[in-house]
Amino acid sequence: MRRTQRESDDAMLSLLLAKGDGTIWMPPQASTVAGATDYVFYYILYISAAFFILINGAMFYFIWKYRRRGPHDKVGRITHSTPLEIGWSVIPGLLLIPMFWWGFKGYMEQRTFPPNCLEINVVAAKWNWTFIYSNSFTSNELHVPVDTPVRLIMRSNDVIHSCFIPAFRVKRDVVPGRYADLWFRATRTGRFPLVCAEYCGTSHSDMKADVYVHPKVADGQAKDPLDKSYDEWLKNADPYGKLTPEQYAEYTKDYEAFKTKYGGDEVMKPIVEKLAAPPERGQQLWDKKGCKSCHTLDGTPSQGPSWKGVFGKEEALADGTKAKVDENYLRESILEPNAKIVAGFARGVMPKTPLKDYEIDALIAFFKSLSGDQK
Amino acid sequence: MSSLHPSVAVAAPAIPDDPGTANYLTHEKGILSWLGTLDHKRICVMYLYGIIAFFLIAGAFALLFRTALLFPQKGAVPGGIQFLISHDMYNQLFTLHGAIMIFVVIIPGIPAALGNFIVPLMLGAKDVAFPRLNLASWYMWAFGCVWLLIALLTGGLDTGWTFYTPYSTSTSTRVIPALTGAFLLGFSSIFTGLNFIVTIHKLRPPQMGWFQMPLVLWSLYSTAIMQVLATPVLGITLLMLIVEKAVGIGIFTPELGGDPVLFQHFFWFYSHPAVYIMILPAMGVMSELLATFSRKHIFGYTFIAFSSVAIALLSFLVWGHHMFVSGQSSLLGTIFSAITFSIAVPSAVKVFNWVATLYQGSIEFKAPMVYALSFIWIFGIGGLTGLFLSTMSTNVHLTDTYFVVAHFHMVMAATIFVFLGGLHYWWPKITGRMYNETLALAGCLISVIGFNITFLSQFPMGSNGMMRRYYNYAPEFQSLHVISTIGSYLAGVGFFVSVVCLVQSLFRGRKAPANPWGAATMEWRTPSPPPWYNFETTPKVEDPYDYDLLKYNERTDSYDYVGRPAGAPRPAH
Ligand SMILES: [Cu+2]
Ligand SMILES: [Cu+2]
């Protein structure tokens, strides 16, 4: 229920943003290269419109003026004119040169990386984006500071994807087996869509992420994490990462006891408030890490087996053997998807998704909750 | 060289007494007389049946997925509705729509179907240079279609028509049968191209120099060069992909040590020229239609002819404009961008010459002419929007969006419309029947308007970030998607009307005279439909656009060839 509320907020927000200062042709401009791209876009648009009107205007005028009136119409005898031919080759040719030149300059600007970029690693996989920050926090949202050059270093876990941020006018294919990169410098704060531009299979169109551009100077009082500076956001981004291993063990073991123990603590309180119960955390990961595009929770198999009731069951494997689904089985299935293949499903479909140990713990807790909380 | 001569190649039954009753359609009977025929005209008819059938199938696929696109969120996403067409079905529909339209319909549409009919007739020849190869090319085409159908029926195909690796090597859909189909279709195209090159070189009558040829032959010749030089690269690429997928040899898959971008280079090395393989023949037909229905000599013959050759040659050097964001080096990208701009000039020159042909003409709005005029409008949009995509920085923003989809559909639609224009134009010659003019005009206008609604709405969608091959999309694009879908329904109605019109003519159509339009090229100087040996007497070679040589005959409702009065000058071009 909560999720649908959030989604409808999201839809509102994206609508507002799209209306922002985009035009009927272009989304809002939010990076340093957007202006140059739009400039040449409109140059081409006006030249094209002029030529289109010229050609079709002449055509409509001629077909009306010289429409057939009878078999004895007088027909012009002109069959060629070299000056005309040269004129209409050279003049359009000259008008093309600025297009090429501005396009080239704009492109080179996008491909010339400024020194000292903030670097963020990106992993593309069917069908979600993972962003890995300098403190090794990973998220499915891209957070960047405004007015700072950012370099995305991207790799793919499976097929070709393509990272496209329309408001920044940047796009780059993420080809498996090599790194791809792109850079941008955001010029305004806010939220912008990031989409996959290269066809990558079933849920290609659902492979999207949000880009959050944070202000330079923090508004200390800000409640909305968007109004915090990038650094401050990053520091607080991962409440789970802030737990010590001991605290983490307590959190996993008994969430309620953990809450009462630390809920009153001045330092720990804001962190604890952000934590979800482990199974709930597992569900969030299912949603955010793209597991949901292949695994349902209601028992209907889709691309992969449903997660309902899997934990504790005897799983029939493709090689004819059976395996008991316990913590180790799940861990292996998630980290090495091709180690054991469930009977009836294809090898090589499930991607390797980068997950931290405690995220796997949370997923396991979620699996257990889906099997009626077997311990 | 005598073995090249068609009279030797064609098995020669006795010439019937009355050529008026025994034409190429009727002089032999039975299905086997068709399946074993070496007659270029019958091969044209066999192509036409197949191409029109596949055009309707692939068009129906498009209407299905456009229907799915009425709704922004479908399936297991927040706010998603359950819709008949799932993610995977959608992916298969657009893949097969593209693959069939390109490989089965548009590439062979004008050259193999219409070209087969007109090339020998326009040369005053009895057949193409290699009639057996011609039949073989039809069988290659038919087998290719069979393989595509096998792929379709045994599990479909979801790679997109581009077969990009490593998606195509990892998907579980029927990639290998589909590749086999595309491979065979490629060979069909090579055979046709080879045949036309030799035919135009060797079977031109001695009095017909290169510059006395109808312009459509220049464009078919240029097309043939591209077919022969570029298609083998596609064949090899598809074969490598089959080998990689079947045996696991690493060529394109990174896990096996291959390079996915290499596949794109190979693929576009063929598929960019393929764009011109599809559009150049249409440009040739354009020149015929515009001159005939303006009753005026084509303007700028030499420039139109040479621009075809220029386009053919340059088209080999621009493939990298599909890969500005794929990781090719910036230097390479820059070179490709520059050459791409230079190909815009010969295309523009053709359009200017066509418009100039209309000037001081006597323009008759018959269906083929209206199709030709729509070409100027539609190709105008398709060609000019190409400039946005040749420019590197705008390309980065627009590539893989609906802007590209709309751009290439405008170009491809231009070909489809001229194919239909040409089909109506030569229909009396091919079938011996006149179609119903009103119905044909209605079909033409409805489909042209529908097409414009469908794709004009997609340009702003694309530049605003609506991605191609998307099943779900952001709700703010819904209104434009609805407009686009309505347009596609309208276009569907238009095409349906055209098909009804043509089919109806076969049963109800008036008998066609020899030269109903008053065209000056040679195919109109033999009865409609022609006898199997094409010409009773070898026609005299004249300027193909000199309409003074024809005189309207009220009795037959046809134009008689009267020839040049003694001392009258030939028009210079
Ligand atoms: Cu993707
Ligand atoms: Cu191209």
Side-chain angles (χ1 to χ4, degrees), chain B residues 225-282:
Chain B
I225 291 178
M226 291 189 288
Q227 287 176 302
V228 170
L229 293 183
T231 322
V233 178
L234 177 77
I236 294 163
T237 312
L238 298 183
L239 213 54
M240 285 196 282
L241 195 52
I242 293 176
V243 169
E244 172 160 56
K245 208 166 151 87
V247 196
I249 297 173
I251 305 170
F252 305 124
T253 308
E255 271 129 66
L256 303 171
D259 182 354
V261 178
L262 181 67
F263 177 83
Q264 297 180 19
H265 278 291
F266 283 158
F267 182 81
W268 290 114
F269 183 84
Y270 165 73
S271 291
H272 186 83
V275 172
Y276 289 96
I277 290 176
M278 294 186 261
I279 192 83
L280 254 186

Side-chain angles (χ1 to χ4, degrees), chain B residues 112 217 260 346 404 447:
Chain B
L217 296 187
V404 175
S447 47

Side-chain angles (χ1 to χ4, degrees), chain A residues 243 246-252 254-263 268 271-272 275:
Chain A
L243 303 181
E246 296 76 46
Q247 286 168 337
Y248 198 79
E250 290 175 63
Y251 159 82
T252 327
D254 190 341
Y255 175 63
E256 290 305 324
F258 169 84
K259 261 203 334 205
T260 30
K261 180 167 173 197
Y262 293 103
M268 289 298 290
I271 301 174
V272 173
L275 302 180

